[in-house]
Amino acid sequence: MSPAPKKKIEESFGIHWKELRQVNPQIAGWVQIPGGDISYPVVQGEDNSFYLSHSFERKEDLFGTIFLDWRNGKRFQDSHSFLYGHNMEGNMMFANLNLYESQEYLEQCPEIYLYTPWKKYRYLIFSVEQAEEGSTSFSYGQKLKSTEFKDLLQYMKNRSFYDTGVEPKAFAPILTLVTCNSRLDENIRMLVHGTRVETWSWNEERE
């Protein structure tokens, strides 16, 4: 599949970036899985600890909020970006990522949308796995099209619970959504990997 041409889009998904910044200037984007009951603002802190126990309003909260790895660029141009969220009762935050253990759920919710003040991205899920923290699937910093990045993509495909039918391309950045699973060891994480297949540019930054 060749990379989709960039498009100008008018819809704003009802996101008012100026208002969100007023609440929390660390806003980085908004993540949505259509049909998956996941639609949340994304922040980026100075580390990967603060937002585990603080809300979008930066108040102490066991639910935390969805956050971008502090090492990633805020414009999501890295080859591999990570979003983290808790597995909360009531299907809150990233709890529903664990439903991807079933291929039937993937068939219902195969896409991830990421909105930023500058662009909108669509990802197709190409791998679903469980991995220990520090495993190869958590590696980052590879250059697009490099042998190292191609090897990482193949590793993720090989680790997937099932064949998703999606082949990631080495020129396309990937996005990994991460949460825990109460049935597993505390060091094991649920990882849902998406490959970017479309990019739209806003006519101007959304206010």
Side-chain angles (χ1 to χ4, degrees), residues 186-197:
E186 63 179 11
N187 293 319
I188 302 295
R189 296 291 181 264
M190 185 74 177
L191 279 64
V192 176
H193 305 293
T195 180
R196 188 180 297 173
V197 294

Side-chain angles (χ1 to χ4, degrees), residues 29 50 58 63 68 94 101 109 118 129 131 135 156 168 171 175 194:
F50 182 81
R58 298 176 60 83
F63 278 59
L68 171 67
F94 272 177
E101 291 180 354
C109 306
W118 310 279
E129 63 164 310
S135 77
M156 291 173 168
F171 57 73
L175 179 69

Side-chain angles (χ1 to χ4, degrees), residues 9-201:
I9 53 176
E10 301 295 336
E11 75 274 17
S12 67
F13 184 58
I15 301 172
H16 300 284
W17 299 107
K18 184 177 181 179
E19 294 178 8
L20 288 171
R21 285 195 197 96
Q22 289 174 347
V23 177
N24 189 338
Q26 292 186 314
I27 182 76
W30 195 287
V31 64
Q32 179 194 34
I33 296 183
D37 200 24
I38 289 177
S39 183
Y40 294 102
V42 175
V43 293
Q44 185 180 40
E46 297 176 359
D47 55 41
N48 285 346
S49 299
F50 182 81
Y51 284 109
L52 288 172
S53 59
H54 289 79
S55 68
F56 178 74
E57 293 80 10
R58 298 176 60 83
K59 298 178 181 178
E60 288 194 14
D61 189 336
L62 291 177
F63 278 59
T65 195
I66 307 303
F67 63 93
L68 171 67
D69 194 298
W70 72 274
R71 298 164 296 184
N72 283 135
K74 206 168 187 176
R75 288 180 177 250
F76 293 91
Q77 296 307 304
D78 295 342
S79 62
H80 191 186
S81 298
F82 298 87
L83 298 185
Y84 302 93
H86 281 307
N87 170 23
M88 303 301 296
E89 292 184 5
N91 299 327
M92 297 294 289
M93 296 300 166
F94 272 177
N96 279 352
L97 293 184
N98 287 292
L99 297 178
Y100 282 105
E101 291 180 354
S102 165
Q103 188 168 1
E104 288 73 19
Y105 188 75
L106 174 76
E107 293 169 356
Q108 297 173 25
C109 306
E111 302 174 317
I112 302 167
Y113 281 88
L114 179 66
Y115 302 80
T116 76
W118 310 279
K119 296 180 186 295
K120 169 185 171 183
Y121 303 109
R122 183 170 73 94
Y123 300 81
L124 287 179
I125 296 169
F126 70 91
S127 175
V128 178
E129 63 164 310
Q130 291 167 349
E132 290 188 18
E133 293 182 7
S135 77
T136 298
S137 293
F138 283 95
S139 65
Y140 68 99
Q142 300 87 355
K143 292 183 179 180
L144 292 175
K145 302 181 183 179
S146 68
T147 298
E148 292 78 13
F149 189 56
K150 292 176 183 177
D151 289 345
L152 175 63
L153 297 178
Q154 188 59 56
Y155 177 86
M156 291 173 168
K157 284 288 293 181
N158 292 343
R159 291 270 304 174
S160 186
F161 290 144
Y162 44 79
D163 184 1
T164 63
V166 176
E167 292 295 331
K169 303 301 182 183
F171 57 73
I174 60 175
L175 179 69
T176 292
L177 276 52
V178 183
T179 194
C180 57
N181 185 314
S182 57
R183 295 186 294 100
L184 303 174
D185 182 277
E186 63 179 11
N187 293 319
I188 302 295
R189 296 291 181 264
M190 185 74 177
L191 279 64
V192 176
H193 305 293
T195 180
R196 188 180 297 173
V197 294
E198 282 191 281
T199 299
W200 296 267
S201 297

